[in-house]
């Protein structure tokens, strides 16, 4: 039961549903040969064939749903021990899942139909075609969203994942996503706190998990094991190890011999409470009794603050909004907020303005919990508190840097005269785009004479005062032309220098050739042979 950890329901092949009460202090680790025998406290009879599934209502206390091979789902009042309602199907029910407020139910059936039920009306609101494969399909309601996730098989026996909008479930949103070609049934599990979907394969040891964001499932990672699981269940969020950043814990059966726990931990330092991955979660108090639920009442169970659990205090209760249907947005009763506002859930009020005897419960918005991207941003913000102020040091180093900017080359008088001749009587308007400054050396006078249009604000209307005082105004185009002329002069000087060096090298080569000829003539005159020269 979601509200009583010691209350367990089970279904069996004899068409009965048993209700068990775990004794206080019960343990399997005893010195006795056999563990203590526990007997059921109640037996619910009403099905005619074996019971395949049992599931407690997530909002009302002691309301149980059971599916059987007689093609029905019966809704029980556990305290009364009698079935109150019955949902009839056309074939064997393969899976069922409640909505967050317990008023709706989704089921998959062997007739390959996906049905959305208004449980207390005992009739399906929607009935559409599901996965086309012959093997089992499963469905899970995605918490407080108006979305349903299903897993099944295609006609080619490929495992598929589907996302459905319960308001218009004619076909899955974006079509079916193909997972792989493994033959084992894929069992979906939803975590409303981290907005993640876990898929565990029956007959294999892998558990892959996805993040739900923008009506899509984004693959994150996969837990792999060589030990296949035949069944698996997840612990409620209030039972995980918050100090170790454990977000989920699964228990899988291995070979029908033992149960193995599998922890899913966020890899970050757990020095303080991580409120982005631990929003308020459902506690042990139901929203209503079984009688109220069968009478037509609806509501979400109150939540508790996990920060109080982290600090070792009594959890503070946070009231949930009462909504008529999961499809209605929880933000309708509150002012509209941006999606980022749900990144941090409101904590119990601890005002310092006036001493209050006890914190009052806070009504929180039922918007979607933070996404993985918001989690990353909050992690970065938290890490920045402990980071060194490297930016301030780098900025001070930049201010005191010894490097100087390369000024523009000085315009030569010849280039200036050429520009004056080319320029007309009326100066050209300033251009917005500035040409890149050429590389060179010179005094910064040219840069001061021709300011960049990006550095100076654009005047609203032209002014003629600079022309009257200093003659024609130098525009960026004239400055660029003067710089180009200066470059041409530099190139001409370099060309002349190269020509001169070429002539000098030619003259030196001629002198070297003449000297070589003279040395050869002297050798012939003296009669010196090569052997004598080597001996010398």
């Amino acid at each position: 039961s979601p509200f009583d950890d010691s209350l367990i329901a089970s279904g069996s092949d004899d068409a009965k549903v048993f209700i068990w009460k775990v004794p206080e202090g019960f343990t399997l680790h005893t010195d006795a040969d056999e563990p203590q025998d526990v007997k059921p406290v109640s037996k619910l009879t009403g099905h005619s064939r074996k019971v395949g599934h049992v599931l407690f209502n997530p909002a009302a206390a002691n309301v149980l749903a059971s599916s059987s091979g007689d093609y029905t789902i019966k809704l029980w009042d556990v305290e009364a021990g009698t079935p109150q309602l019955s949902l009839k199907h056309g074939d064997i029910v393969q899976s069922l899942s409640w909505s967050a407020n317990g008023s709706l139910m989704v089921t998959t059936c062997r007739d390959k139909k996906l049905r959305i039920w208004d449980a207390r009306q005992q009739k399906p609101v929607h009935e559409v075609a599901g996965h086309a494969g012959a093997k089992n399909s499963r469905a899970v309601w995605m918490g407080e969203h108006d979305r349903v996730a299903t897993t099944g098989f295609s006609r080619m026996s490929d495992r598929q994942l589907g996302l459905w909008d319960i308001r218009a479930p004619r076909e899955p949103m974006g079509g079916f996503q193909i997972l792989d070609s493994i033959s084992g049934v894929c069992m979906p599990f939803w975590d409303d706190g981290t907005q993640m979907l876990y898929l565990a394969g029956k007959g294999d040891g892998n558990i892959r998990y996805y993040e739900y964001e923008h009506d899509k499932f984004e693959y994150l990672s996969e837990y792999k094991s060589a030990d296949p699981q035949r069944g698996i269940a997840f612990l409620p969020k209030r039972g995980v190890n918050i100090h170790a950043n454990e977000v989920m814990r699964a228990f899988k059966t291995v070979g029908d011999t033992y149960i193995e726990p599998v922890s899913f931990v966020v890899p970050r330092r757990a020095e303080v409470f991580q409120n982005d991955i631990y929003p308020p979660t459902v506690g042990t108090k139901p929203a209503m009794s079984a009688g109220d639920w069968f009478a037509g009442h609806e509501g979400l169970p109150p939540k508790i603050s996990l920060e109080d659990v982290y600090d070792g205090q009594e959890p503070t209760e946070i009231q949930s909004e009462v909504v008529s249907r999961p499809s209605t947005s929880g933000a309708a009763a509150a002012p509209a907020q941006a999606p980022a506002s749900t990144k941090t859930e409101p904590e119990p009020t601890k005002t310092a303005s006036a001493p209050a005897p006890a914190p009052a419960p806070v009504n929180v918005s039922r918007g979607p919990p933070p996404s993985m991207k918001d989690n990353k941003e909050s992690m970065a913000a938290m890490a920045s508190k402990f980071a060194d102020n490297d930016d301030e040091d780098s900025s001070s180093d930049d201010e005191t840097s010894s490097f100087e900017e390369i000024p523009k080359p000085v315009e030569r008088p010849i280039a200036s005269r050429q520009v004056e001749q080319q320029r007309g009587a009326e100066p050209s308007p300033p251009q917005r785009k500035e040409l890149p400054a050429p590389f060179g050396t010179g005094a910064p006078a040219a840069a001061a004479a021709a300011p960049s249009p990006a550095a100076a604000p654009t005047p609203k209307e032209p002014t003629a005062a600079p022309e009257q005082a200093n003659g024609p105004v130098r525009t960026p185009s004239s400055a660029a032309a003067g710089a180009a002329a200066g470059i041409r002069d530099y190139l001409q000087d370099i060309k002349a220098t190269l020509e001169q060096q070429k002539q000098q090298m030619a003259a030196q080569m001629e002198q070297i050739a003449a000297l070589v000829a003279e040395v050869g003539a002297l050798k012939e005159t003296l009669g010196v042979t090569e052997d004598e020269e080597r001996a010398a």
Side-chain angles (χ1 to χ4, degrees), residues 91 94 108-114 129-138 150-161 164 176 182-183 185:
D91 210 326
Q94 295 176 339
T108 59
C109 190
R110 197 167 61 180
D111 59 5
K112 305 177 185 178
K113 298 289 186 180
L114 177 70
H131 297 270
K135 297 182 180 180
N136 286 4
S137 61
R138 302 292 178 92
T150 61
T151 57
F153 292 83
S154 66
R155 296 183 185 275
M156 304 301 294
S157 297
D158 294 326
R159 290 203 296 190
Q160 295 176 328
L161 171 63
W164 305 77
F176 289 113
I182 302 177
S183 60
V185 176

Side-chain angles (χ1 to χ4, degrees), residues 287-338:
M288 67 201 76
S289 63
D292 293 337
W293 187 85
F294 285 109
H297 293 212
E298 295 181 7
L300 292 170
K303 297 189 175 184
I304 60 173
S305 172
L306 292 178
E307 185 173 4
D308 295 335
V309 178
Y310 180 88
D311 296 333
Q313 303 175 1
E314 187 69 21
T316 303
E317 183 178 301
I318 301 175
Q319 294 293 336
S320 300
E321 286 188 359
V322 178
V323 294
S324 58
R325 284 290 185 269
S327 59
T328 58
S329 174
Q337 299 180 2

Side-chain angles (χ1 to χ4, degrees), residues 507-521:
Q508 291 176 358
M509 291 298 293
E510 292 178 357
Q511 293 178 2
I512 292 172
L515 291 174
V516 171
E518 291 180 1
V519 171

Side-chain angles (χ1 to χ4, degrees), residues 9-18 20 44 47 49-54 67-69:
S10 65
S12 60
D13 292 347
D14 59 359
K16 293 183 176 59
V17 177
F18 287 2
W20 308 79
L44 308 180
H47 287 293
R49 301 186 67 178
K50 69 176 182 179
V51 178
H53 301 87
V54 289
S67 67
S68 170

Side-chain angles (χ1 to χ4, degrees), residues 13 19 37 118 164 203 222 235 237 252 268 273 283 371 422 425 480 533:
D13 292 347
I19 305 298
D37 191 13
D118 188 341
W164 305 77
E222 182 177 10
L235 189 70
K237 183 57 69 74
K252 71 173 189 176
R268 64 168 73 167
F273 176 71
S371 63
Q422 296 175 359
E533 184 178 358

Side-chain angles (χ1 to χ4, degrees), residues 213-463:
E213 187 176 12
H214 305 303
D215 280 336
K216 290 191 302 183
F217 289 116
E218 300 291 344
Y219 174 77
L220 295 180
S221 186
E222 182 177 10
Y223 164 80
K224 295 184 178 181
S225 173
D227 299 325
Q229 61 250 1
R230 294 193 59 187
I232 190 168
F234 280 80
L235 189 70
K237 183 57 69 74
R238 51 188 169 85
V240 300
N241 188 354
I242 304 177
H243 291 270
N245 289 340
E246 182 185 36
V247 293
M248 287 289 277
R249 186 188 303 172
F251 295 90
K252 71 173 189 176
T253 60
V254 179
D256 291 338
T257 56
Y258 63 93
I259 296 176
E260 178 184 356
V262 180
S263 295
F264 296 88
V265 178
V266 176
R268 64 168 73 167
R269 297 179 63 183
E271 296 180 351
V272 295
F273 176 71
Q274 312 293 315
N275 56 358
D276 56 334
I277 59 177
Y278 295 116
T281 188
V282 177
T284 57
K285 183 178 180 181
M288 67 201 76
S289 63
D292 293 337
W293 187 85
F294 285 109
H297 293 212
E298 295 181 7
L300 292 170
K303 297 189 175 184
I304 60 173
S305 172
L306 292 178
E307 185 173 4
D308 295 335
V309 178
Y310 180 88
D311 296 333
Q313 303 175 1
E314 187 69 21
T316 303
E317 183 178 301
I318 301 175
Q319 294 293 336
S320 300
E321 286 188 359
V322 178
V323 294
S324 58
R325 284 290 185 269
S327 59
T328 58
S329 174
Q337 299 180 2
S341 64
T342 59
K343 181 171 62 176
T344 55
E345 294 286 344
E347 299 178 358
T349 54
K350 300 178 182 179
T351 57
S353 57
V362 182
N363 290 332
V364 298
S365 174
R366 305 306 302 178
S371 63
M372 189 65 66
K373 185 182 296 183
D374 296 333
N375 294 346
K376 295 178 181 177
E377 293 177 358
S378 63
M379 291 169 57
M382 187 174 297
S384 63
K385 297 180 181 180
F386 305 97
D388 298 332
N389 297 327
D390 296 336
D391 296 339
E392 298 179 0
D393 298 340
S394 60
S395 61
S396 60
D397 294 342
D398 294 339
E399 294 176 359
T400 58
S401 177
S402 60
F403 293 98
E404 298 180 356
E405 296 182 357
I406 301 176
K408 296 181 179 180
V410 181
E411 296 184 9
R412 297 195 176 186
I414 298 176
S416 301
R417 286 196 296 271
Q418 293 177 354
V419 172
E420 293 295 337
Q421 292 175 2
Q422 296 175 359
R423 186 190 312 153
E426 185 178 356
S428 59
Q431 301 178 359
R432 291 183 178 273
K433 184 177 180 180
E434 184 183 5
L435 298 176
F439 294 98
T441 58
S452 171
T458 305
K460 295 183 179 180
E461 57 183 9
T463 57

